[in-house]
Amino acid sequence: WRPAAGVQRAVARAVPAALATAFVVAPGALDAFVSNAWASLHGQWWAHAPMFEAWTATLGFVGAIVLWSSAHKLFFRDEARAAAYRFDGEPAVAPFEWLGELGLKRLWGAWLPLVAYLGSIKLFHCFVTKAPLPAAAPTALRVVAEVCAGVVAYDAVFAPIHASLHAPGAPRWWKRIHRTHHEARPRARRGKALVPLETVQHSYADGFLQVAVNVLVQRLPTPLWTAGGLVLAPKHPLSRVLHNLIVTYLLAEAHSGYDLPWMTHRAFPNVFGGARAHEAHHVHGEGNYHQFFLAR
């Protein structure tokens, strides 16, 4: 397993280098790929629906939670081997809670955040009209820059909010907003490592703060050089979709309870705090307030 772990980590670390090399060697091919992808997406009627990005984020969450909930089945021969790569060294407790593993009450609680999120975004679009999708595709460099900037901005903006929810001198009502995320665990899971469903187990107000931060960073303009000089353009919808998929994956990974060699905190230990830092945050109830990156 150790040699395989080294290979997995090396492959994960090679992805950014391979992408950077592709930008140097074949930027036109990358632009053509992005252009074809956008043309295909733009041609679908559902991509023009006001709720398209919300549904993309929802599917991103569901997919990532299903993936990490099934990690002991997908990546290991047996549960004992999987347990060795969990932070507590024990099998995950009720990883399929979202399938009713702990009864109907917990099943409803597992899916309630999805209903609340989609309902809130639907209400948002009753007051804010979605802009028409642009026909022009972005360059590959623009997509990468917008996605990276958006993920960094989300983490940077939410971290001080998260820290304030734990601050000793904060008002009790403010700290109560976040308490559900740390305490809404079944009794059998108390003192055990996280499971990915806990990504979305929080109060409505807590979830609202995270969604509001995401909406804010998704609406940050992008500086672009054009024939007329520097302009501030809206973030391209393709970048927004990819941003949602990456953020939902990283949030689920951070709550997975696993310490696998190819995860972000292992592949890039000087950049990402990832699951290790967030597990420590839940164990100690403080510190490591960034969702993805290491605090500097």
Side-chain angles (χ1 to χ4, degrees):
W1 178 262
R2 185 170 297 174
V7 171
Q8 292 166 10
R9 190 179 298 113
V11 170
R13 289 174 175 172
V15 171
L19 184 59
T21 301
F23 273 113
V24 174
V25 175
L30 289 178
D31 286 341
F33 174 80
V34 170
S35 180
N36 290 335
W38 177 243
S40 177
L41 184 60
H42 192 276
Q44 308 301 320
W45 65 266
W46 37 262
H48 298 263
M51 292 291 289
F52 169 64
E53 290 180 38
W55 277 109
T56 302
T58 298
L59 292 175
F61 262 131
V62 171
I65 289 171
V66 169
L67 170 69
W68 283 110
S69 298
S70 309
H72 60 294
K73 303 288 187 182
L74 297 175
F75 305 139
F76 298 94
R77 293 191 302 270
D78 54 67
E79 290 197 14
R81 172 77 71 170
Y85 285 88
R86 287 185 58 77
F87 288 108
D88 59 358
E90 299 180 16
V93 176
F96 298 120
E97 181 182 341
W98 44 272
L99 284 178
E101 194 173 9
L102 296 177
L104 290 178
K105 184 177 180 180
R106 298 291 305 188
L107 176 64
W108 168 242
W111 291 97
L112 180 60
L114 183 151
V115 176
Y117 168 70
L118 290 175
S120 298
I121 297 299
K122 181 67 175 179
L123 181 63
F124 173 78
H125 283 299
C126 290
F127 300 94
V128 179
T129 303
K130 179 183 177 181
L133 295 182
T139 63
L141 182 60
R142 178 181 175 182
V143 169
V144 171
E146 287 183 330
V147 170
C148 290
V151 173
V152 171
Y154 173 82
D155 190 68
V157 173
F158 188 72
I161 298 174
H162 188 191
S164 74
L165 292 166
H166 286 270
R172 185 175 299 178
W173 64 267
W174 180 249
K175 297 173 71 172
R176 191 180 297 120
I177 288 174
H178 190 58
R179 187 177 301 164
T180 300
H181 183 58
H182 285 263
E183 298 181 355
R185 314 187 79 192
R187 183 170 300 177
R189 198 181 295 142
R190 293 174 186 172
K192 307 294 185 181
L194 293 167
V195 299
L197 181 63
E198 293 182 85
T199 310
V200 295
Q201 289 184 325
H202 44 57
S203 69
Y204 180 84
D206 196 356
F208 175 84
L209 288 173
Q210 296 190 53
V211 172
V213 169
N214 198 56
V215 171
L216 171 66
V217 301
Q218 289 279 57
R219 288 175 169 266
L220 292 176
T222 301
L224 295 176
W225 284 104
T226 66
L230 183 66
V231 298
L232 294 177
K235 188 173 182 177
H236 197 278
L238 181 59
S239 301
R240 295 201 303 265
V241 168
L242 293 175
H243 167 102
N244 283 337
L245 293 175
I246 291 172
V247 164
T248 52
Y249 169 80
L250 290 175
L251 287 171
E253 185 193 84
H255 290 82
S256 67
Y258 282 97
D259 188 23
L260 297 176
W262 47 268
M263 294 170 71
T264 54
H265 69 279
R266 285 290 190 179
F268 308 100
N270 295 321
V271 178
F272 288 93
R276 174 183 287 171
H278 204 69
E279 186 75 31
H281 170 73
H282 275 260
V283 169
H284 301 293
E286 60 182 5
N288 297 297
Y289 298 119
H290 286 263
Q291 301 273 44
F292 314 134
F293 299 106
L294 285 173
R296 297 298 182 184

